Amino acid sequence: MIRRRKAGSEPKKPLTSSPLQSESGENKDQKKNFEAENGKLNVNENENENSKNLNWKSSTKSRGRSWNCLDSCCWFVGYICSIWWFLLFSYNAMPASFPQYVTEAITGPLPDPPGVKLAKEGLKAKHPVVFVPGIVTGGLELWEGHQCAEGLFRKRLWGGTFGEIYKRPLCWAEHMSLDNETGLDPPGIRIRPVSGLVAADYFAPGYFVWAVLIANLARIGYEEKNMYMAAYDWRISFQNTEVRDQTLSTIKSNIELMVATSGGKKVVVIPHSMGVLYFLHFMKWVEAPAPMGGGGGSDWCAEHIKAVMNIGGPFLGVPKSVAGLLSAEARDIAVARGMAPGFLDMDVFGLQTLQHVMRMTRTWDSTMSMIPKGGDTIWGGLDWSPEEGYECSPKKQKNNNSEAGGQNGFGNLGNATQVHYGIMISFGKGVAELHSSKLERVDFRGAMKGNHLANTTCHDVWNEYHDMGVEGVKAVADFKVYTAGSVLDLLHFVAPKMMKRGGAHFSYGIADDLDDEKYEHYKYWSNPLETKLPNAPDMEILSMYGVGIPTERAYVYEFSPTPECFTPFRIDTSAEAGYEGTCLKGGVFSVDGDETVPTLSAGFMSAKGWRGKTRFNPSGIRTYIREYNHAPPANLLEGRGTQSGAHVDIMGNFALIEDILRVAAGATGQDLGGDRVYSDIFKWSERINLKL
């Protein structure tokens, strides 16, 4: 059946044609139209793709422009960490001899350490050796604590890595503080000294204290059986180390054992820093009858001690301790505060740094053992000082091995403008330079105090200053200048509770009559001006210390700003010398010393107070001065140097170590060459009018 197409309708076209079919004209036209339409679609698709690409690039550029500080910090931290791990890997992978090879390639052959040198000479271990560490260098560990110290049993809270300071600083400060009334452990807290040679060989990883000396002693045959670290809790008063820990009895027993097991050979005692004062206290304690003393009798030291080799001994105290107790700072802290004003005063996570440091350190009775002793007689008054005329003008350093006397390479006693170092504290640079006749002062000792200056919420960090009030603070400044004698009155005024505790354990005067029975009390035993040396004529005392480094002697103070919980006094870092040669820099007057202990304090007793038979040295114990002129390391590869005279770095000084090894092997002070002096200690000592 044939179907008819409707009028006006187009015939249906085949969708596809056989490839065998020839293309008609109509098919060709359709194909062209189809290709044109497809081409248009492709163009549109390409335009869309290009648009997408442009949009992606645009968004990428937009993201690049939004690169922020956090991204930069992350990349920077990652970069530093990568370099650090690479260097650490390289260091651990390199041969042990490589650092020495590099050093010798740059600096030339290194000298043999003293132990190697003396072993080649045939020196052998002879006398047992006792080390007495100083303040802060001995490790302390936790035996009992509060909840915040959970997991720290027998972990070091002092020494080592100090990791707990960063993890829980307020908890750490709480546990390191002592009871403000008794000077002993607070309830629920027990911190005890680490025992053994590891107690003070290193203060922190890589920072040696006794380690270099111990290693050199081992080179000539010493080992733990004939070396003993007399560790003690350096925070508490000397007598309280016996009351709480029986430390003095332990030292006595160990020395007796070492003498007995070495065939009767006496010990060589090597105290450092505050350990010098601690052992001075011990020598009186061991002679004194029980219960106050050890009951060893007057001949105990003569029978057990060959020599006492004092390193950096603050026999007469250090002015630095005054600044620490007054404002919890010294030159280094003041300089840091001057470079970043307000940083140390910021309340970061509730931690007011200097206030917490002050609260903690003012509970450490040991710090009061180093308040200057002898008053104006030793340290000078308003118009004079033993170091009068000392000029700070560096000269060429001398070698430690030279035997010399007289002025060292640091200072010069020329025609300098007179600076009265006897003024230990002054409020304002101008008053420090005035003659006493021109000073107008108002006595602070009778001033009224009030508590309206401080916020009561600050009592936990603002130890005792909250009781002074505006009147008390103003009275302190109105007195203007303080000498070594009046500094004691100042500290009694600003910190009466602290000084009451300290006054029960330490004394700072000069004895009129050493036979007076009152000097049998332990509070006088660490003051060489109020006690006698033991009856041991064959014993020797060597005073060994560094010279040639600017050392704090006096301070220019100012009022600090007055935020909440403020410390009202601080070093005026803007005070600088108006003329060359006075050593006033950043509010601190400096003289010769080892950076911590002035030469006058370290050397006076051996130069004059104990020289020959005096009332302080009735048996005539021989005393020697061995000074080590500071020479800094020539380059970074030398570390802390082998000729350093700095207070702690001197423990790695090759000349000092050689002196110690020779005495331990049997030499005397005379065998070492007697006195070796670079400073003007003898000249300064003669200016001190002390009855001998």
Side-chain angles (χ1 to χ4, degrees):
M1 181 176 174
I2 299 173
R3 293 183 180 179
R4 297 186 177 210
R5 188 174 64 242
K6 294 181 180 180
S9 65
E10 294 291 333
K12 291 186 177 179
K13 299 182 178 69
L15 294 175
T16 58
S17 60
S18 170
L20 298 177
Q21 288 179 324
S22 61
E23 292 182 343
S24 64
E26 186 179 358
N27 288 340
K28 289 180 181 179
D29 292 339
Q30 289 178 350
K31 184 176 180 181
K32 288 180 182 179
N33 292 336
F34 179 77
E35 288 177 351
E37 290 176 359
N38 285 343
K40 187 175 181 180
L41 289 174
N42 289 337
V43 169
N44 290 336
E45 288 178 1
N46 289 338
E47 287 179 354
N48 290 336
E49 289 296 324
N50 291 336
S51 177
K52 289 179 181 178
N53 289 338
L54 290 173
N55 290 336
W56 179 82
K57 290 179 181 179
S58 176
S59 64
T60 302
K61 289 180 181 179
S62 177
R63 284 198 300 271
R65 284 194 299 270
S66 66
W67 185 273
N68 55 33
C69 180
L70 181 61
D71 298 322
S72 301
C73 290
C74 290
W75 276 103
F76 178 75
V77 171
Y79 178 73
I80 295 297
C81 290
S82 299
I83 292 177
W84 170 254
W85 285 113
F86 174 76
L87 293 175
L88 189 63
F89 172 79
S90 302
Y91 177 78
N92 289 318
M94 72 174 62
S97 59
F98 185 74
Q100 182 178 351
Y101 173 79
V102 173
T103 303
E104 291 185 353
I106 296 174
T107 64
L110 298 176
D112 284 336
V116 175
K117 172 186 173 183
L118 298 182
K120 291 177 181 178
E121 295 181 12
L123 264 70
K124 299 292 184 184
K126 184 176 181 181
H127 295 275
V129 173
V130 177
F131 309 115
V132 186
I135 191 170
V136 310
T137 55
L140 300 175
E141 60 187 18
L142 182 71
W143 281 81
E144 181 184 2
H146 295 161
Q147 184 64 35
C148 66
E150 187 70 28
L152 298 180
F153 176 69
R154 293 205 65 195
K155 298 290 179 64
R156 288 200 182 196
L157 291 192
W158 189 272
T161 61
F162 287 90
E164 298 311 316
I165 298 180
Y166 312 113
K167 294 178 184 176
R168 27 191 157 183
L170 293 178
C171 180
W172 176 84
E174 176 189 1
H175 283 73
M176 283 298 298
S177 300
L178 295 169
D179 188 275
N180 212 17
E181 299 290 340
T182 65
L184 295 171
D185 296 317
I189 293 176
R190 277 188 297 150
I191 291 180
R192 297 295 180 263
V194 177
S195 59
L197 296 178
V198 297
D201 54 352
Y202 288 92
F203 176 64
Y207 190 88
F208 69 82
V209 183
W210 294 91
V212 177
L213 176 57
I214 291 171
N216 279 278
L217 284 164
R219 293 280 190 175
I220 63 171
Y222 280 91
E223 50 191 285
E224 199 153 11
K225 68 180 181 182
N226 51 9
M227 289 191 291
Y228 166 56
M229 182 72 72
Y232 60 99
D233 189 338
W234 43 262
R235 300 173 302 157
I236 62 180
S237 71
F238 302 159
Q239 190 69 8
N240 273 343
T241 63
E242 174 65 16
V243 172
R244 195 192 73 179
D245 302 332
Q246 292 76 54
T247 304
L248 298 174
S249 294
T250 303
I251 295 173
K252 177 177 179 284
S253 299
N254 276 286
I255 290 177
E256 291 171 345
L257 178 63
M258 295 173 82
V259 171
T261 56
S262 65
K265 296 181 180 67
K266 301 176 185 179
V267 301
V268 172
V269 184
I270 311 169
H272 172 244
S273 189
M274 192 186 75
V276 169
L277 302 179
Y278 186 67
F279 195 74
L280 192 64
H281 179 98
F282 170 83
M283 288 193 293
K284 293 304 294 182
W285 173 88
V286 76
E287 293 181 334
M292 187 180 294
S298 60
D299 295 329
W300 192 93
C301 292
E303 294 170 355
H304 294 88
I305 302 175
K306 165 186 162 51
V308 183
M309 308 186 75
N310 301 298
I311 304 175
F315 288 106
L316 303 177
V318 289
K320 195 173 185 177
S321 67
V322 175
L325 293 171
L326 185 63
S327 59
E329 61 180 346
R331 176 170 53 197
D332 46 0
I333 300 296
V335 168
R337 179 174 44 75
M339 294 175 63
F343 178 76
L344 291 175
D345 297 323
M346 288 194 304
D347 183 2
V348 182
F349 304 115
L351 178 64
Q352 292 116 339
T353 310
L354 286 181
Q355 288 83 347
H356 277 286
V357 169
M358 176 178 289
R359 179 180 65 85
M360 180 175 67
T361 57
R362 280 192 174 185
T363 67
W364 297 348
D365 288 350
S366 61
T367 59
M368 286 175 277
S369 71
M370 293 184 291
I371 292 175
K373 303 174 178 69
D376 296 0
T377 300
I378 298 294
W379 295 93
L382 296 177
D383 298 320
W384 81 281
S385 62
E387 307 99 324
E388 198 79 31
Y390 185 78
E391 185 177 355
C392 183
S393 55
K395 294 181 179 179
K396 185 178 180 181
Q397 303 287 352
K398 297 179 182 178
N399 191 290
N400 273 333
N401 294 324
S402 65
E403 299 291 334
Q407 181 65 35
N408 65 32
F410 165 67
N412 174 34
L413 283 172
N415 296 320
T417 306
Q418 298 296 300
V419 176
H420 305 307
Y421 293 109
I423 299 177
M424 201 163 283
I425 297 288
S426 61
F427 280 87
K429 173 190 167 187
V431 297
E433 301 170 350
L434 291 176
H435 190 271
S436 60
S437 61
K438 298 180 180 179
L439 284 172
E440 297 180 1
R441 301 194 290 171
V442 178
D443 196 342
F444 66 93
R445 283 162 285 205
M448 297 292 295
K449 292 184 179 181
N451 60 4
H452 55 279
L453 184 62
N455 189 305
T456 55
T457 61
C458 302
H459 287 193
D460 60 334
V461 295
W462 198 29
N463 188 20
E464 298 200 68
Y465 272 128
H466 60 269
D467 291 329
M468 288 185 62
V470 175
E471 296 85 355
V473 171
K474 185 175 183 299
V476 168
D478 286 344
F479 198 67
K480 292 186 174 61
V481 293
Y482 297 84
T483 63
S486 53
V487 153
L488 289 174
D489 295 327
L490 171 62
L491 292 176
H492 275 287
F493 186 77
V494 301
K497 187 181 295 185
M498 176 191 74
M499 291 302 291
K500 182 180 178 181
R501 275 196 340 267
H505 292 275
F506 302 106
S507 181
Y508 313 101
I510 301 174
D512 294 323
D513 180 10
L514 286 168
D515 294 323
D516 192 323
E517 290 184 358
K518 78 174 186 177
Y519 293 110
E520 296 176 4
H521 192 275
Y522 60 77
K523 68 182 286 185
Y524 301 102
W525 292 349
S526 61
N527 182 357
L529 301 173
E530 294 182 305
T531 191
K532 298 177 184 178
L533 287 178
N535 180 30
D538 294 331
M539 190 176 84
E540 294 183 332
I541 294 180
L542 291 86
S543 294
M544 314 169 75
Y545 53 89
V547 294
I549 309 178
T551 303
E552 297 170 46
R553 177 65 165 83
Y555 302 87
V556 177
Y557 265 79
E558 65 174 352
F559 288 114
S560 63
T562 57
E564 279 190 44
C565 310
F566 81 109
T567 302
F569 314 116
R570 69 181 186 185
I571 296 172
D572 182 4
T573 55
S574 66
E576 299 285 343
Y579 42 85
E580 187 178 356
T582 63
C583 289
L584 172 61
K585 185 176 181 180
V588 180
F589 287 98
S590 298
V591 291
D592 193 13
D594 69 358
E595 202 171 33
T596 297
V597 182
T599 299
L600 184 69
S601 179
F604 171 77
M605 293 309 297
S606 285
K608 184 174 181 178
W610 291 333
R611 182 69 48 139
K613 282 193 176 184
T614 70
R615 65 192 184 103
F616 306 107
N617 182 17
S619 65
I621 295 173
R622 292 184 299 278
T623 63
Y624 301 96
I625 292 178
R626 302 289 290 177
E627 293 184 344
Y628 303 88
N629 204 16
H630 175 70
N635 54 64
L636 292 176
L637 296 175
E638 287 189 20
R640 289 153 65 190
T642 60
Q643 294 189 32
S644 176
H647 188 63
V648 177
D649 293 354
I650 197 174
M651 303 292 280
N653 185 301
F654 278 11
L656 176 137
I657 293 173
E658 183 174 334
D659 284 349
I660 291 174
L661 266 60
R662 289 189 182 278
V663 172
T668 65
Q670 197 60 44
D671 295 333
L672 298 181
D675 294 326
R676 181 174 61 191
V677 179
Y678 298 103
S679 72
D680 282 292
I681 184 58
F682 286 112
K683 183 182 294 185
W684 295 339
S685 298
E686 286 305 311
R687 293 176 179 174
I688 295 174
N689 184 20
L690 179 67
K691 184 180 73 171
L692 299 177

